[in-house]
Amino acid sequence: MMYALGIAAFALCILASIAWHECGHMWAAQATGMKVRRYFIGFGPTLWSVRRPKTEDGIEYGVKALPLGGFCDIAGMTLLDELKTPVEQERAMYKQAAWKRLFVMFAGPGMNFILGALLIYGVAVTAGLPAMNTTPRAAIAATGCVADATTKPTKEQPSKPLGECRPSPAAQAGLQRGDVITSVNGKAVDADSVFDALQAASGPIALGIERDGQERAVTVDPLTSKKWRPTADGKDLTEVSGPTIGISVGTIGVIDHYNPITAFGGTAAFTVDLGKRTVVAIGQLPQKIPALVDAIKGEQRGLDTPQSLLGASMIGGEVAERDMWSVFFLLLAGLNLMLGLINLLPVPPFDGGHMAVIIFEKLRDLVTGRKGGPVDYMKLAPLTYVVLALAGGYMLLVLTADIVNPIKLFN
C-alpha cells in the first residue's frame, strides 16, 4: 500500500515541479511587462479553467486532462504567434528588450534550481547530506556459511558453494548484519579497501566495528576457501585462495550533519557537486542507449541508466515504503536539477534554444550595427522537429525499459 502511495506522491511532486517551472516563466513575464495569456497544468482537453481578472488583461488558469506537464502561454514568443488584442500587440514578448526575454526564458529552469536547493537544504537540516566525495563505509550485509570453493559467477547465475559449508566465523564471533567495519588488524578501512585488507590478513583477525554508534573490537578466526575476484583489468574473474570470515559486505554512505546556519554552505556545495554530476549524466545519455536496449531484452539493468518519470516515481515508491524520506526528497531535488539543466540545452524547443536565438539576435545587431528584428522561427522548424523526434524516441525507449525491466533499489 505504501509503495503505491509513494509512487503517487512522487508523481505529484514531479507535476508540481513542472508547474513551479512554468510559474517562473509566468511571474518573470508579468514582472517585465509581457502579456501572459494562459497558465495550464497538463495537456489535452480542458477540465477546468477560470480567468483572473475577468478583463482583457486577465490570465486564464486551468487544468487539462493529461497530467504530463504544463505550459505558460506568453503573447508574441515568436513572430508566428497570432496577436489578437491591442494589449497582446503592445506587450508581445518579441518586442521586448533582449535582457527581459532572456530573464523570462531562464526563470523556468531557475525555479527548478531554487526548488532543488530548498529541498537539499531541508534534508541537510533534518537528516544530513551524503558526503558525495567520500568513499562509502563497509557494512556487513549478511553472514553465511563458508564453503571450500564456489562456482564461477555469471550474469545469469550467481556463485554456489562447492563442498562442505562450514558455519560463518563472523557469526560465531558475534558480528551482525549492519555492523560497520572500521578497521582490520588496526588499519582503517572503507568499502574500497576492506576486501584487500581481509584477503591479506592471516591468523586471528582483529576487526574494529561500529554498532549503534559505539566502537567495538571483535576477533575472528578465519577459515580458508577459494573465491572469485576481478582480474587487474576488471574484464574477468580469477580464483584465489585466502582467509574467509563468512560475510557479504555492503556499503553505507558517510553523512555530514548541519545546523540551520552551516546548512547553507553544505547545501551550496552539495548542489554544485550534484549539478556537475547531472551535467556529466546528460552528456552520457546517448551512450546509454545500448544498455537500455539490453535491459529491454531482459539483461540486468544498471543503476546508472536513465529513467522516465514513471521509473523515477517507482523509485520514489520504494524509498517511501521504507520511510527513507530524506532519500525521497534528494531524488526529487536531483530531478529538479535535471529538468532545469536539460531545459537550458541551446536547441529548440527547449528554453535554452529560445535563449540562444535571443543571444544570436543581439550579436547579429552588434555586428551589423542595425536592428534586424526577430529571427524567423520557420527556418528553425526542421531543427525543432529533429530534436523533438530524437527526444521523443529516447523517452519512449526509456519508458519501455522502465515498464519491462524497471530499476529496483531493493531486492
Side-chain angles (χ1 to χ4, degrees), residues 360-374:
F360 168 78
E361 292 174 357
K362 194 65 177 178
L363 292 176
R364 177 204 60 196
D365 294 348
L366 289 174
V367 171
T368 61
R370 59 185 179 83
K371 190 173 180 60

Side-chain angles (χ1 to χ4, degrees), residues 34 93 97 165 227 324:
M34 300 179 195
M93 184 174 180
C165 202
K227 297 284 186 178
M324 300 171 64

Side-chain angles (χ1 to χ4, degrees), residues 166-205:
R166 293 162 287 178
S168 164
Q172 291 183 320
L175 293 176
Q176 301 175 7
R177 182 178 184 272
D179 288 345
V180 176
I181 303 175
T182 59
S183 65
V184 176
N185 286 337
K187 182 180 180 181
V189 295
D190 54 30
D192 287 346
S193 59
V194 66
F195 287 110
D196 290 338
L198 289 172
Q199 190 67 32
S202 60
I205 301 176

Side-chain angles (χ1 to χ4, degrees), residues 371-388:
K371 190 173 180 60
V375 164
D376 183 0
Y377 269 76
M378 285 301 295
K379 296 179 180 179
L380 296 175
L383 175 60
T384 303
Y385 296 147
V386 169
V387 172
L388 284 172

Side-chain angles (χ1 to χ4, degrees), residues 203-392:
I205 301 176
L207 296 181
I209 67 166
E210 182 181 304
R211 180 187 301 167
D212 298 329
Q214 296 184 344
E215 294 284 344
R216 304 183 182 208
V218 178
T219 300
V220 183
D221 290 320
L223 298 173
T224 299
S225 70
K226 293 180 179 180
K227 297 284 186 178
W228 294 94
R229 301 295 187 203
T231 55
D233 58 11
K235 296 181 179 179
D236 200 0
L237 297 173
T238 183
E239 192 174 32
V240 297
S241 179
T244 302
I245 62 174
I247 61 172
S248 59
V249 178
T251 60
I252 295 180
V254 178
I255 301 296
D256 292 331
H257 296 277
Y258 304 91
N259 61 42
I261 302 301
T262 60
F264 285 105
T267 295
F270 188 91
T271 303
V272 170
D273 196 24
L274 183 57
K276 291 178 180 178
R277 294 169 186 254
T278 304
V279 170
V280 172
I282 292 173
Q284 293 176 342
L285 286 177
Q287 303 173 27
K288 301 298 182 181
I289 293 177
L292 288 169
V293 173
D294 290 341
I296 293 173
K297 292 179 179 178
E299 295 190 17
Q300 183 175 357
R301 185 172 178 185
L303 294 176
D304 61 343
T305 51
Q307 292 176 276
S308 65
L309 299 184
L310 172 63
S313 298
M314 293 170 71
I315 294 295
E318 282 193 85
V319 298
E321 186 178 32
R322 290 164 176 80
D323 289 329
M324 300 171 64
W325 293 106
S326 61
V327 177
F328 183 96
F329 289 113
L330 286 179
L331 288 172
L332 187 60
L335 180 66
N336 271 274
L337 294 185
M338 176 73 78
L339 287 173
L341 288 168
I342 285 180
N343 267 286
L344 288 180
L345 291 175
V347 289
F350 299 116
D351 295 332
H354 290 282
M355 295 172 68
V357 168
I358 296 168
I359 293 171
F360 168 78
E361 292 174 357
K362 194 65 177 178
L363 292 176
R364 177 204 60 196
D365 294 348
L366 289 174
V367 171
T368 61
R370 59 185 179 83
K371 190 173 180 60
V375 164
D376 183 0
Y377 269 76
M378 285 301 295
K379 296 179 180 179
L380 296 175
L383 175 60
T384 303
Y385 296 147
V386 169
V387 172
L388 284 172
L390 291 175

